[in-house]
Amino acid sequence: MIRVSALTFGGTGERPSRLRRLLGISIGLVYLCFPVLEIVTGELSGAGAVWGGAGLAAFVALYIATVLSPRNFGDPTRLTYWLLGVTTLLGVGLAVAFGGGWLTLPIYMAVVYGMALRPRLSVIGVLAMGLAVALIGLLEENDPGATLVLVFQVITLGVLFMGVRNTRMLVVRLRQAQEEVARLAASEERLRIARDLHDLLGHSLSLIVLKSELAGRLAESGSERAVAEIRDIESVARQALVEVRDTVTGYRQRGLSGELDGARAALEAAGTRLTIRLAGPSLPEELDELLGWAVREGVTNVIRHARATRCEIEVTMDETAATLKIADDGRGTATDGQGSGLTGLTERVRAAGGTVSAGPRPSGFVLLVTVPHTGLLYPPAKEGSR
């Protein structure tokens, strides 16, 4: 029985390893012993032996060249098509000329078709080789049983190597998909870090700028408060450094309570009076962190753009959703653009199934964040004003 090793077209990449293909060929060509034995034993003699030996050597050379020709699975080059055509003609011609053991040559072509061609062409080529073996066996009056076995081997080996080719292509596509997933994950992580750093540094640097301006004015007037403001600047800068490090390493948890405290300090330094209202049960961890980010971004925009004298932050929690409202009496259109801060906040809230609306009102600007929740239990409700 004719057998060809699956290593014939082995490799680990999209373009299979030629060394592995060569090793596979060396195993598969062992089964060319059938036509070789006809020459060696004298069954084929004289001029027939000379022509047969030369033709067999040419077939082996062309077969190796075809297998090793540059290509990807299922995507032959023009050179591969030419080599396939010449090798097929030579193999079928030798089988017609000498019959017997030479009927094994079309089997090798069925293997090449199964591995090198696209599915439709592979099926056509394998069936054509099976038909060729059957017709040649009848014309040469070869043993019907042996001919039937050879036809069976052409079909089964052709189908087998079509399956091997398809498996290899699936492996290649899977690796490409994994690489794409890794690339997208890295891109998303870079975007997340950039967004987080913008939110962190935008707030902290705005506070540093305000306190620096205040410290400068106090220093010019000789006030002792300048030293305290400078110490506050140092404290804020150190805290910002810690937050940046924690954000990059992914360990920082941004709580609403901490952000409200930071908002009060920042707004007071900017000369803005802050009122905070909390209503409803305690927030779950995910919503607490998300609304903390929203407070940071909203307050940063108030400090940078609004020039407000009053700001109100209201957080409410009911059975269906948590809502954050930040309203100021500053310039209503100052933050009406799509800055990267509000864009980043909107992306986070939408990912949690919530909505963000921001826009001017007759006496200032309002940021409204609503995030739904379901099936969570909370501690007893608290109400109060800070």
Side-chain angles (χ1 to χ4, degrees):
M1 180 178 291
I2 305 301
R3 298 169 60 191
V4 182
S5 168
L7 287 174
T8 301
F9 294 84
T12 57
E14 186 176 353
R15 192 180 295 276
S17 166
R18 291 189 177 185
L19 178 59
R20 292 193 179 188
R21 283 186 277 174
L22 189 59
L23 291 175
I25 290 171
S26 66
I27 298 173
L29 292 180
V30 170
Y31 300 96
L32 290 176
C33 60
F34 293 99
V36 171
L37 283 175
E38 291 189 7
I39 298 174
V40 174
T41 60
E43 184 176 344
L44 190 64
S45 59
V50 174
W51 284 107
L56 186 60
F59 175 82
V60 172
L62 287 170
Y63 178 72
I64 293 175
T66 302
V67 172
L68 298 183
S69 61
R71 70 182 184 285
N72 297 329
F73 284 109
D75 188 20
T77 62
R78 181 175 298 181
L79 174 61
T80 301
Y81 278 120
W82 277 103
L83 290 172
L84 273 174
V86 175
T87 308
T88 300
L89 291 176
L90 183 57
V92 173
L94 290 173
V96 171
F98 302 110
W102 297 81
L103 286 175
T104 59
L105 300 184
I107 295 176
Y108 287 93
M109 298 314 305
V111 171
V112 177
Y113 294 154
M115 288 299 295
L117 299 179
R118 296 173 183 173
R120 182 176 297 180
L121 292 179
S122 296
V123 171
I124 294 173
V126 170
L127 293 177
M129 288 298 98
L131 181 61
V133 170
L135 293 176
I136 294 170
L138 291 175
L139 292 174
E140 296 291 335
E141 297 182 353
N142 198 39
D143 179 64
T147 301
L148 182 61
V149 170
L150 291 174
V151 172
F152 178 76
Q153 290 177 351
V154 168
I155 302 300
T156 54
L157 287 174
V159 172
L160 171 65
F161 279 88
M162 279 191 282
V164 172
R165 187 270 317 277
N166 290 337
T167 301
R168 283 283 306 160
M169 293 182 68
L170 289 175
V171 170
V172 169
R173 289 171 182 169
L174 177 60
R175 288 176 177 169
Q176 291 174 341
Q178 290 173 335
E179 292 173 358
E180 181 66 12
V181 168
R183 186 188 68 80
L184 292 175
S187 177
E188 180 65 22
E189 183 64 11
R190 285 194 296 268
L191 178 62
R192 183 192 70 81
I193 292 174
R195 186 176 57 200
D196 291 355
L197 289 177
H198 170 273
D199 292 343
L200 286 170
L201 294 179
H203 176 82
S204 300
L205 293 178
S206 296
L207 181 56
I208 289 173
V209 169
L210 288 170
K211 284 187 170 293
S212 297
E213 293 175 349
L214 178 58
R217 291 195 299 268
L218 292 173
E220 290 176 356
S221 63
S223 174
E224 295 180 355
R225 283 186 55 196
V227 176
E229 293 297 332
I230 292 173
R231 288 175 180 171
D232 285 346
I233 293 171
E234 179 184 1
S235 175
V236 171
R238 291 183 183 277
Q239 181 61 29
L241 181 60
V242 171
E243 290 176 347
V244 168
R245 288 173 176 169
D246 289 343
T247 299
V248 172
T249 54
Y251 294 120
R252 182 176 185 269
Q253 299 294 325
R254 303 168 183 83
L256 177 62
S257 177
E259 296 296 351
L260 290 174
D261 291 338
R264 182 179 294 280
L267 289 170
E268 287 179 354
T272 302
R273 184 165 58 88
L274 174 64
T275 301
I276 299 175
R277 295 186 178 89
L278 305 176
S282 300
L283 298 173
E285 181 178 350
E286 295 80 4
L287 292 183
D288 187 81
E289 179 181 344
L290 181 59
L291 294 187
W293 273 114
V295 167
R296 175 181 286 267
E297 180 58 37
V299 170
T300 299
N301 283 336
V302 172
I303 294 173
R304 284 180 175 176
H305 308 294
R307 296 183 182 177
T309 60
R310 290 185 297 105
C311 179
E312 296 181 357
I313 299 178
E314 182 178 351
V315 181
T316 58
M317 180 77 168
D318 56 29
E319 296 179 354
T320 61
T323 303
L324 168 70
K325 180 180 178 181
I326 301 178
D328 64 68
D329 63 349
R331 298 184 301 176
T333 59
T335 56
D336 197 23
Q338 291 297 320
S340 58
L342 284 179
T343 300
L345 175 62
T346 302
E347 291 174 356
R348 284 194 183 90
V349 174
R350 286 179 179 173
T355 59
V356 175
S357 62
R361 63 178 185 176
S363 59
F365 190 86
V366 176
L367 171 67
L368 185 64
V369 177
T370 304
V371 185
H373 66 85
T374 56
L376 298 175
L377 298 177
Y378 309 102
K382 293 181 182 179
E383 285 199 26
S385 176
R386 296 180 60 182

